[in-house]
Every structure is written in structure tokens, then in C-alpha cells.
Amino acid sequence: MKRIDQLLAYAAQIDSPTAQLDAELLLAFVLDKPRSYLYTWPEKTVSEQQSAAFMMLFERRQRGEPVAYLLGRQGFWTLDLQVAEHTLIPRADTELLVEAALQLADAQSALQVLDLGTGTGALALALASERAQWTVTGVDRIESAVALAQSNQRQLQLNNVTFLPSSWFSALAGQCYDLIISNPPYIADNDPHLQRGDVRFEPLSALVSGPDGLDDLRLIIAQAPAYLSANGWLLLEHGFDQASAVRELLQQAGFVDVSSRRDLSKHERISLGRLPSLS
């Protein structure tokens, strides 16, 4: 029988820049313990069944499978979310959209908010958790993603958010929102990064958007004004080298106060604009 410290030392061989963290997360998951337990009791022995389960996960991680899919969970903002292989894994950079949305609006305003391409529901749920007075809607064209987002909602017991199937705005005729937010697909279909890292295992439909990666961003920007209230905001995540193109698209669509914000790596990761009042 192996000890905790022996398993962690072995699993640190994972070919990943976060090998030690990966090993800790996988072993803590198998033992159903917090990560702190691993270093409080490093000499504890692990049962043969637990050791076998850990080694199976370790081997899958060695083949490149994302830890979030192996655990079925991923942290985002202050939330612990269920994830599945038919949805994009929520990432820390996307929290920049949440920060920007919270900064734009008066904390006491009762806003109508839309999250396009909600996936796990990460953005919608983060905003709903921070602003109980907001009414948040999340949509996704993939019904299994909608079901997953609804499951996350029930787990978090958030009553001010609703999820429904819609391909972008297709099921939202007549609706009007004060704020629209989206992390759409924005990778070019021939981008070599699609063959590297975690994205190899994520659904292409959540990643790829035409030859320049801007197809979905163009559609959203063109159609959003019909669903935004006067002075409503559109906030979009995009690729690290797409900010200039997205700002231009926003300006061409009539948005004002257009700007971009940088992520943790100092890349311009999100762009936003306001739909002006007609008066």
C-alpha cells in the first residue's frame, strides 16, 4: 500500500506546467479530502482501491485530459461549478467579464442581464450571485449545456437566473436587456493552438468561429442593438490579438464608449461598448 507522499511524488511526473497541483487535486478528489489533508497527513496509507482510482486518473491526465473534466468540477469566481465534456471549461481570464459588468452598473439597479452562449452557466451564475436584484438569463444552443447550467443553478440555489435553449438571440424575440455579456467562440479554425493543451479535449463548437475567429463576434455585435435598452452595455471576451478588430466592429455597429481591458497576462482580453440613447 502506498502513502500519500509517495503517490504525490510519483504523480508529479505529469507532463503539465501545474503537475504538482494536478496531482494534489486528483488525490484529494479520490480521498474525498481537502488538499490541506495531504500535507497534514503525508504518511497516511491509501487503500488499494483508492490508489487504483488515483492511478487511473493520473494516466488520463498524462494523456492530456483536463483536470476539470476528470473531477467534473471547476472553480469560477466564488463558485464551484459542475463541468462536462460538452461545455467549455471556465477560466480565470473570463472573470474579467464579471468584474467589468459589476463595475459598470449601480449595485442597487434592478437590471435585465443576458449571458449568450452560457455553457456551464459560469458568467450568469457569477453575476446572479453578486447581484440579487438583477434578473439574469443564460442561453446556449446546446441543450445538454442548458441542462448542466440549470443543475449548477439548483446546486447554488440562485433564484434570479434562468437558463433556456437559444442559438444566440434566436429564441429571444421581443426581449430587451440592460447588459449583454458573452464569451463566444473566437479561435480561427486553423489555429495551431487547437492541437495543444486542454483545448484538444474541449468541444470545437465552443472554440472555433470561422477563418479569422470573428464570425460569432460579428453576429453578436450586429444583432445586439435590437436587444439592448438605451445606454445598455455589450461586453465580449475575445482572443488576445482581436481587440482592435472587435473595437472597430462595435464602433461600426453604433456603440460608444468603446474600450478594451487586459487580462492577467496583460493581453487585451475583453472589449465593451454602450448603445447610446436616441435622444
Side-chain angles (χ1 to χ4, degrees), residues 162-174:
T162 302
F163 295 102
L164 54 95
S166 179
S167 180
W168 302 131
F169 297 100
S170 65
L172 302 174

Side-chain angles (χ1 to χ4, degrees), residues 242-278:
Q242 295 173 327
S244 178
V246 173
R247 288 195 300 269
E248 184 175 351
L249 289 168
L250 286 166
Q251 290 163 348
Q252 290 173 351
F255 287 88
V256 297
D257 297 333
V258 173
S259 65
S260 299
R261 300 191 184 184
R262 297 182 184 274
D263 62 18
L264 299 173
S265 300
K266 307 304 180 183
H267 295 130
E268 290 184 311
R269 180 60 61 184
I270 71 168
S271 293
L272 53 152
R274 178 176 61 85
L275 190 69
S277 171
L278 295 177

Side-chain angles (χ1 to χ4, degrees), residues 91-107:
R91 288 170 168 80
D93 284 341
T94 302
E95 294 179 357
L96 189 58
L97 282 173
V98 180
E99 294 174 5
L102 296 176
Q103 291 167 0
L104 285 172
D106 179 351

Side-chain angles (χ1 to χ4, degrees), residues 1-8 10 27 31 41-52 54-55:
M1 292 187 15
K2 298 288 187 181
R3 300 185 333 193
I4 286 175
D5 55 358
Q6 293 172 324
L7 288 174
L8 286 178
Y10 178 76
L27 186 53
L31 298 179
W41 305 102
E43 75 285 355
K44 288 277 188 180
T45 56
V46 176
S47 72
E48 293 295 339
Q49 183 179 12
Q50 290 171 323
S51 182
F54 174 72
M55 292 306 299

Side-chain angles (χ1 to χ4, degrees), residues 176-256:
C176 188
Y177 301 93
D178 302 296
L179 187 150
I180 298 175
I181 193 168
S182 183
N183 175 21
Y186 53 73
I187 299 177
D189 52 23
N190 62 348
D191 192 310
H193 291 91
L194 293 169
Q195 307 305 318
R196 305 173 193 165
D198 287 357
V199 296
R200 291 173 296 162
F201 295 84
E202 294 180 275
L204 281 177
S205 62
L207 296 167
V208 172
S209 187
D212 62 359
L214 293 170
D215 282 4
D216 288 301
L217 284 159
R218 288 191 186 94
L219 184 151
I220 292 169
I221 291 169
Q223 295 186 3
Y227 299 87
L228 272 171
S229 60
N231 295 310
W233 286 89
L234 175 63
L235 286 74
L236 300 164
E237 181 170 336
H238 50 68
F240 73 95
D241 57 352
Q242 295 173 327
S244 178
V246 173
R247 288 195 300 269
E248 184 175 351
L249 289 168
L250 286 166
Q251 290 163 348
Q252 290 173 351
F255 287 88
V256 297

